[in-house]
Amino acid sequence: MHNPGIATPERFPAQDRFAEGAQFIAGRQAKGSSGRTHAVVDPATGEEVYTYELAGADDVDAAVAAAREAFPGWAAATPGERSEAMHRFAAVLADRAEELARAESLQCGKPLKLTREFDVPGTIDNTAFFAGAARHLQGQSAGEYSGDHTSYVRREPIGVVGSIAPWNYPLQMAAWKILPAIAAGNTIVLKPAELTPLTSLLFARAATDAGIPDGVINIVTGTGKEAGEHLIGHPDVAMTSFTGSTAVGKRVAEIATATVKRLHLELGGKAPFVVFDDADLEAAANGAVAGALINTGQDCTAATRAYVQRPLYEAFVERTAALMETVRLGDPFAPGTDLGPLISHVQRDRVAAFVDRARAYARVVTGGEAPKGALEKGAYYRPTLIAGAAQDSEIVQSEIFGPVLVVLPFDTDDEGIRLANDTPYGLAASAWSGNVYRANRATREIKAGCVWINDHIPIISEMPHGGYKASGFGKDMSVYSFEEYTQVKHVMFDNTAVARKDWHRTVFGDR
């Protein structure tokens, strides 16, 4: 079934590309075989824009078989050949930037300025980066480490990768999964979230149109329970990479380890935002609002817990609340919109429930409600600032994944860093200070995969992304991601040409 829904060509210029279905296997789009359908819903309006057939186990099997068939040829391609194909891929994505941006805004509710200026250019840059990185898969240089042998290290692709991407950054997360895998010579089957498959499919189509061989990149769009678990447990899948909640990550690990797969997990976050008393107050307040509200707070690195040293605390609360109240909610496609809806009404209601429970023990300084009037049909929620919560309260400890920032005071530097580390998560953090020694201490002692100083959120292709503790393990982006997607092989050559080696006496005979 292909139901184009009611989206206008202006909002969804690429909709004709989806008539053949939401599966992409061996270079061709197809319909899913599960017998069930799913609708992509515009969260700004609550209206269905595309209905498709979900993938079942048979589709996963077909995609894995296509990836397995393509693997020997792609793995045998020279780094230069893979690099050239990926440079063409980046060029095709650049040509299609506007349709990618609009499809992402439509399915996610992101303001168009976010998809045009962040999601899409970031993905194109990531593709160009890995096109170059494909030529630099180096191991340790050769050397005679034992004296009688020459050793060197090879990096080899693992095989078929089965990856699962989330709904908050569908295009970027598809790229983060696919690009390092194929740059290293692997082939991949990606399952995007069933809420947001559009840009993953456009991404795979662009790769094929750029000349990347059929079967190297495959997309299966189905539920986590059916398609996702079958993909993770598939005996021909050598590695699993998952981005999503910590709770689901535990289930992914359980399935993957049953077949001893390589596993990469990027899980939840509850990023602290530590403001020392010598920080630039205006910079910190602006950074807190931007860092908390990007993508409507649906970002695992979003600023969620602001710890402010007591001399600045009241002024920070006042200024941050005032800035939040200037943020403009609206149609994601309207030029003046700053903040779009959450991904769904279910997610909006989940966020609202967190805030409503917090009213019993904390103060809602601003926000804390869904807007009325013209935005009422969408999954909107006002930017929300909460003060007065205890460190062990739910609103401080649990990942909310919405436009909600909690502010707590601290007195000493020791206390601020201790509080920053006092959750199960460790994905990202920031510290704000004009003192280089304070800032350096924060980078050393805050347990997170990324610590920003006097900023919060920026990412770049050259640097790794990944967490500590319950935020998972392994890295996306950067050349460090090749640690996830390659096998390291030690090769050792005998240099003596002696039949009876000296060490053989440990098994038989004398020296």
Side-chain angles (χ1 to χ4, degrees):
M1 171 197 288
H2 168 238
N3 175 7
I6 61 170
T8 64
E10 181 187 14
R11 293 174 81 89
F12 194 12
Q15 64 178 289
D16 290 345
R17 295 184 186 273
F18 298 96
E20 295 177 358
Q23 318 305 322
F24 190 87
I25 300 171
R28 290 171 293 281
Q29 278 179 249
K31 295 176 170 57
S33 65
S34 71
R36 292 176 291 109
T37 60
H38 195 276
V40 175
V41 174
D42 177 355
T45 63
E47 295 167 339
E48 295 183 7
V49 295
Y50 175 62
T51 302
Y52 65 92
E53 297 81 0
L54 287 161
D58 289 347
D59 304 303
V60 174
D61 290 342
V64 172
R68 187 179 181 188
E69 183 178 351
F71 175 69
W74 185 246
T78 67
E81 289 167 339
R82 290 199 294 268
S83 176
E84 183 179 356
M86 293 181 71
H87 276 300
R88 294 195 303 267
F89 185 13
V92 173
L93 292 171
D95 287 342
R96 300 176 184 176
E98 184 65 13
E99 71 176 33
L100 286 164
R102 289 180 178 272
E104 194 80 330
S105 289
L106 182 71
Q107 67 181 353
C108 298
K110 298 170 185 272
L112 196 56
K113 68 177 180 178
L114 178 63
T115 58
R116 280 176 172 165
E117 298 175 25
F118 184 78
D119 297 68
V120 173
T123 300
I124 295 168
D125 182 74
N126 215 228
T127 307
F129 170 81
F130 278 107
R135 303 188 77 142
H136 297 281
L137 270 169
Q138 298 170 346
Q140 190 172 0
S141 60
E144 286 68 50
Y145 299 97
S146 80
D148 291 337
H149 304 84
T150 296
S151 289
Y152 66 87
V153 170
R154 293 174 55 89
R155 283 191 176 275
E156 298 180 348
I158 294 172
V160 177
V161 178
S163 291
I164 298 179
W167 46 256
N168 58 331
Y169 289 101
L171 177 62
Q172 286 196 308
M173 294 298 102
W176 287 14
K177 300 301 182 195
I178 290 169
L179 295 171
I182 68 170
N186 301 284
T187 56
I188 189 166
V189 179
L190 174 80
K191 191 200 88 66
E194 58 269 33
L195 293 173
T196 55
L198 301 179
T199 47
S200 298
L201 292 162
L202 291 174
F203 189 73
R205 168 54 63 191
T208 296
D209 291 347
I212 291 178
D214 293 349
V216 172
I217 300 171
N218 305 274
I219 308 292
V220 288
T221 309
T223 65
K225 194 69 178 173
E226 185 172 2
E229 293 197 2
H230 190 64
L231 176 62
I232 297 163
H234 200 290
D236 291 334
V237 169
M239 174 190 165
T240 290
S241 178
F242 170 79
T243 296
S245 71
T246 298
V248 177
K250 291 177 181 178
R251 175 60 179 159
V252 169
E254 179 184 344
I255 298 169
T257 53
T259 51
V260 200
K261 287 178 170 51
R262 175 78 66 88
L263 183 60
H264 167 216
L265 297 175
E266 197 263 87
L267 306 177
K270 190 71 178 175
F273 186 100
V274 182
V275 182
F276 294 103
D277 58 13
D278 64 340
D280 181 322
L281 176 63
E282 188 66 14
N286 277 270
V289 172
L293 300 184
I294 188 170
N295 201 32
T296 318
Q298 298 167 125
D299 187 311
C300 48
T301 65
T304 60
R305 300 178 288 138
Y307 297 102
V308 183
Q309 207 151 23
R310 205 169 296 274
L312 289 183
Y313 177 74
E314 293 296 342
F316 178 89
V317 170
E318 181 180 351
R319 183 62 180 139
T320 302
L323 285 171
M324 278 191 172
E325 288 166 3
T326 70
V327 173
R328 300 165 297 181
L329 277 68
D331 179 358
F333 290 83
T337 293
D338 295 322
L339 200 70
L342 289 129
I343 188 66
S344 67
H345 287 81
V346 170
Q347 180 65 12
R348 192 271 313 276
D349 293 346
R350 178 180 179 274
V351 170
F354 270 106
V355 175
D356 288 344
R357 290 191 296 271
R359 294 179 197 278
Y361 55 81
R363 175 170 64 97
V364 177
V365 181
T366 189
E369 62 182 4
K372 303 296 183 183
L375 302 181
E376 198 166 357
K377 291 183 179 179
Y380 291 89
Y381 198 76
R382 293 196 184 281
T384 299
L385 185 66
I386 294 176
Q391 174 66 15
D392 62 356
S393 62
E394 178 192 52
I395 203 79
V396 174
Q397 292 291 324
S398 297
E399 187 174 32
I400 300 169
F401 230 55
V404 179
L405 177 64
V406 185
V407 187
L408 298 89
F410 69 92
D411 291 303
T412 67
D413 290 15
D414 288 349
E415 182 188 15
I417 291 174
R418 179 181 62 78
L419 292 171
N421 287 326
D422 185 28
T423 72
Y425 301 105
L427 187 59
S430 65
W432 298 72
S433 173
N435 183 304
V436 67
Y437 299 103
R438 266 181 161 171
N440 270 326
R441 180 188 178 190
T443 66
R444 291 192 306 271
E445 297 186 15
I446 294 177
K447 304 304 180 186
C450 174
V451 180
W452 292 284
I453 299 298
N454 296 328
D455 207 345
H456 195 107
I457 284 296
I459 55 173
I460 50 175
S461 297
E462 291 83 358
M463 288 291 111
H465 174 86
Y468 287 23
K469 302 190 294 185
S471 293
F473 47 82
K475 300 300 179 184
D476 289 310
M477 299 199 300
S478 83
V479 294
Y480 290 98
S481 65
F482 288 140
E483 302 293 335
E484 319 303 322
Y485 294 98
T486 57
Q487 299 275 21
V488 174
K489 177 185 285 184
H490 170 214
V491 177
M492 194 177 218
F493 279 89
D494 170 59
N495 292 331
T496 67
V498 174
R500 184 74 172 256
K501 307 290 193 294
D502 186 55
W503 72 267
H504 291 178
R505 74 182 187 279
T506 61
V507 177
F508 66 98
D510 299 319
R511 187 185 298 271

